[in-house]
Amino acid sequence: QKEVEQNSGPLSVPEGAIASLNCTYSDRVSQSFFWYRQYSGKSPELIMSIYSNGDKEDGRFTAQLNKASQYVSLLIRDSQPSDSATYLCAVNIRGGSQGNLIFGKGTKLSVKP
Amino acid sequence: IAGITQAPTSQILAAGRRMTLRCTQDMRHNAMYWYRQDLGLGLRLIHYSNTAGTTGKGEVPDGYSVSRANTDDFPLTLASAVPSQTSVYFCASRPRGGSTDTQYFGPGTRLTVL
């Protein structure tokens, strides 16, 4: 059973701090990794994708991938109250239909003013 | 229409009734997906379609059926609804090429089966 694991949280950080969200996955051959943000009552919204080991930065967001450790993380710098949401990690799966993703259960982030 | 639309936005349904959730995208994306999201269980794939005319089963397909007659539409049918199908249902689509695994989500349908 291929799995994606995340801490459910809630993760609480003060405004302006760095929020660190973590995700591990079980399928060693996964090649594509995604972070989605989901506000309460809304649909998931893609914020980052990463395919190669190392860091990928986009504004205040940095995704980090370590395939050897089967670990992907999302750092949010200068956290804002508007970042308060649930963050979903998603990983593609191989051996099944190309393009299918497995989602973690999400980490709820709360940024306190 | 811009992106993915789903209908209805919400629905309360009596157990045993038949229900079709609609999903339409205008981005000419090849692949489409149906997920359900339940508290504590996250997003789970019900059915998918990689291209018009083909469909496949996801993690939790029982009690659901889909069809893909054309590129734009991917309806999800509950033949005889049961209370355990109470959930929020999201449709998603994926373009061909580029970041081939990136999926984009519709706004969701909140379904309550009594």
Side-chain angles (χ1 to χ4, degrees), chain A residues 35-76:
Chain A
W35 284 100
Y36 286 82
R37 177 177 62 201
Q38 186 175 24
Y39 292 114
S40 180
K42 301 295 186 181
S43 59
E45 170 194 14
L46 179 72
I47 53 172
M48 290 286 288
S49 59
I50 187 166
Y51 304 95
S52 303
N53 279 329
D55 296 357
K56 179 182 178 183
E57 187 174 319
D58 183 359
R60 296 186 295 111
F61 298 97
T62 299
Q64 299 175 317
L65 176 61
N66 184 325
K67 291 184 180 179
S69 300
Q70 295 174 241
Y71 177 91
V72 57
S73 65
L74 180 71
L75 301 179
I76 306 175

Side-chain angles (χ1 to χ4, degrees), chain A residues 11 13-20 60 74-79 109:
Chain A
L11 173 66
V13 300
E15 184 175 356
I18 296 175
S20 178
R60 296 186 295 111
L74 180 71
L75 301 179
I76 306 175
R77 290 182 301 281
D78 188 24
S79 296
L109 173 67

